[in-house]
Amino acid sequence: MLPGVGVFGTGASTKVLVPILREKGFEIKALWGRTVKEAEEFSSSQNIAFFTNKIDDVLLRKDVDLVFVVCQPFLHAEISVKALGIGKHVVCDKPMSLNQSDAMKMVRAAQYYPTLISLVNHSLRFLPAFTHMKRCLHDGLIGPLSEISLIDVRVQLGTIFPDKYDWMCDAAMGGGALNLVGSHVIDLVSFLLKQHVVRVHGVVKSYTKSTPGINGIRQISAPDFCNFQMELINGTLITTSIQSHTVPAKTFSQEVLICGSLGHLVVRGGDLFLFKSKGETTQKEEAVYVDVQDLHFATSETLLPRLYIKGLCKMVGALKESFASKESNWIKEPVQAAANFEDGLYVQAVLEAIRKSSETKSWQRVQINSDSPSNHDQIMRFARMSTM
């Protein structure tokens, strides 16, 4: 039997998430909104019976066993830690938190309750093109992993800002291209290569200060452009360009290219292609995986790019499989590929290093802040991962 779901948030991500959960068979028991009015309006539009603006009113419901935290990032740690503490499974949206301190609180809570699911919504891990890419990489189709020389990621997307001013317009509150899309890139590299970044160099800019709907006293401070380089311990370089300020509103394109000693793999949109270099003979890319799957429900491309929606569908499907499994008490098995809270802490550390690099205009090392002795085990895990 699938658990009842409590959802925190009323934004664009929630509008996409709710139909996905229902399509997979989950029942939404409660909704939290920033204000009673927001919660009521969203609940009415989505046919959710119970709504509130009080966190505990959702968490203390006996019919809620799984919570999705898709609200403002500064609330992620509070809700997640409380939920885990009273025995609820948690899926948290990205960015996982505003800082490493909050992320560490979430990691500790997850470690204290290891039988509970605690995941971060890095949905690209579940996109078939990337699961196939990972398999090709580890099978050595473009050479040994140690000989991967370059990963080039390019993302162009329409406006990332809503019609009215909210947290997504404010850099200090977690909005902007680096957090919303860059976090996916950082996690994806870790997922594909099983390695962590040791140093970064980045440029983060906010070119769009106002829009037709946001043109009063408040100005947009969240970045709509970021360009950053990341280096692995073996010297592999990852270059990333994410921009939305010069792209038409409904345009989205994403390309992830990985170069090895024997050729390259590239995911364009949802399709995977392989190029094998054979001397000087001109070769063509061959399709390894072509995405022909369609969504089983209608959704707007303007809310989230279709690739991310498909990945989210796959992740929710894995969650369903986890809870529906009756053969094993270890319900986490189908979601082993998902990003956990420790993965989220690592992503947060890289994001902070990129922002610091943009401020100082210099390369910055990525490190987990050691603000207390209890961080020692986490720091050692990070160090081991970085040297794999």
Side-chain angles (χ1 to χ4, degrees):
M1 183 175 179
L2 297 180
V5 175
V7 177
F8 289 86
T10 58
S13 296
T14 314
K15 291 177 182 177
V16 172
L17 175 64
V18 167
I20 291 176
L21 288 169
R22 285 178 168 155
E23 193 269 335
K24 297 298 181 182
F26 288 95
E27 188 174 350
I28 300 168
K29 300 292 187 178
L31 175 90
W32 175 93
R34 185 177 60 89
T35 65
V36 173
K37 182 181 179 181
E38 282 185 9
E40 183 177 14
E41 289 177 351
F42 188 91
S43 295
S44 177
S45 67
Q46 299 293 325
N47 195 26
I48 300 172
F50 180 83
F51 62 87
T52 182
N53 68 333
K54 297 180 180 179
I55 293 172
D56 289 350
D57 285 353
V58 175
L59 294 181
L60 295 177
R61 285 182 66 96
K62 293 182 179 180
D63 57 356
V64 170
D65 292 303
L66 168 65
V67 299
F68 277 79
V69 186
V70 285
C71 57
Q72 299 89 329
F74 75 90
L75 290 171
H76 288 185
E78 176 187 352
I79 296 171
S80 298
V81 171
K82 276 188 175 182
L84 290 169
I86 56 177
K88 314 287 185 180
H89 303 282
V90 177
V91 179
C92 183
D93 202 14
K94 77 314 160 197
M96 177 178 171
S97 63
L98 289 180
N99 52 62
Q100 286 193 51
S101 177
D102 282 350
M104 183 63 75
K105 293 175 184 176
M106 297 168 69
V107 169
R108 290 171 183 156
Q111 291 173 341
Y112 196 77
Y113 301 100
T115 60
L116 296 173
I117 286 177
S118 51
L119 307 178
V120 182
N121 174 26
H122 286 302
S123 56
L124 290 183
R125 288 180 174 228
F126 287 87
L127 197 68
F130 289 119
T131 59
H132 282 80
M133 176 181 258
K134 182 176 182 178
R135 189 176 302 115
C136 291
L137 286 168
H138 290 269
D139 287 346
L141 290 190
I142 60 170
L145 286 178
S146 59
E147 296 178 11
I148 299 297
S149 57
L150 175 69
I151 301 176
D152 183 57
V153 182
R154 301 183 184 188
V155 185
Q156 290 188 323
L157 63 164
T159 181
I160 58 176
F161 304 121
D163 295 332
K164 296 181 180 180
Y165 192 95
D166 69 4
W167 68 267
M168 293 182 69
C169 304
D170 193 320
M173 295 184 69
L178 179 60
N179 276 342
L180 300 179
V181 181
S183 59
H184 280 299
V185 175
I186 296 164
D187 179 76
L188 183 63
V189 170
S190 172
F191 169 71
L192 292 172
L193 298 185
K194 293 185 177 180
Q195 294 188 55
H196 278 177
V197 171
V198 293
R199 65 175 190 149
V200 301
H201 186 280
V203 176
V204 182
K205 294 282 189 179
S206 177
Y207 287 108
T208 303
K209 301 296 185 181
S210 63
T211 67
I214 307 170
N215 54 16
I217 297 175
R218 284 181 167 179
Q219 284 195 327
I220 296 171
S221 62
D224 52 12
F225 170 87
C226 55
N227 188 302
F228 55 90
Q229 295 78 49
M230 306 185 292
E231 189 176 82
L232 303 179
I233 196 168
N234 65 354
T236 299
L237 183 67
I238 302 100
T239 62
T240 303
S241 175
I242 303 168
Q243 63 101 355
S244 68
H245 67 290
T246 63
V247 183
K250 295 184 179 181
T251 300
F252 173 82
S253 66
Q254 178 173 285
E255 179 177 291
V256 178
L257 171 71
I258 301 183
C259 300
S261 57
L262 301 179
H264 70 248
L265 287 161
V266 58
V267 172
R268 296 189 184 96
D271 305 328
L272 172 64
F273 300 91
L274 167 67
F275 174 85
K276 297 279 284 186
S277 54
K278 298 179 180 178
E280 297 181 358
T281 305
T282 301
Q283 303 290 321
K284 293 183 178 180
E285 290 180 346
E286 61 176 281
V288 176
Y289 174 83
V290 178
D291 183 11
V292 296
Q293 296 180 349
D294 198 7
L295 297 171
H296 300 297
F297 54 89
T299 186
S300 173
E301 186 80 12
T302 60
L303 296 177
L304 287 177
R306 205 166 185 81
L307 292 182
Y308 293 85
I309 297 174
K310 284 191 172 184
L312 182 58
C313 284
K314 295 288 185 181
M315 189 179 79
V316 174
L319 275 171
K320 176 183 179 179
E321 185 181 345
S322 293
F323 289 111
S325 176
K326 297 181 180 179
E327 298 179 1
S328 172
N329 291 327
W330 188 245
I331 64 171
K332 289 187 177 183
E333 187 63 30
V335 290
Q336 284 297 302
N340 57 34
F341 280 6
E342 290 188 8
D343 295 319
L345 175 63
Y346 157 71
V347 170
Q348 186 65 43
V350 179
L351 291 173
E352 290 182 5
I354 293 171
R355 283 191 286 267
K356 186 174 181 181
S357 172
S358 184
E359 293 172 0
T360 62
K361 296 179 172 47
S362 63
W363 283 87
Q364 295 292 324
R365 293 197 65 82
V366 177
Q367 56 186 358
I368 302 292
N369 292 336
S370 53
D371 56 355
S372 70
S374 59
N375 286 353
H376 177 72
D377 292 342
Q378 175 62 33
I379 295 168
M380 295 309 296
R381 273 193 294 274
F382 177 82
R384 286 196 297 271
M385 189 69 173
S386 297
T387 57
M388 287 180 62

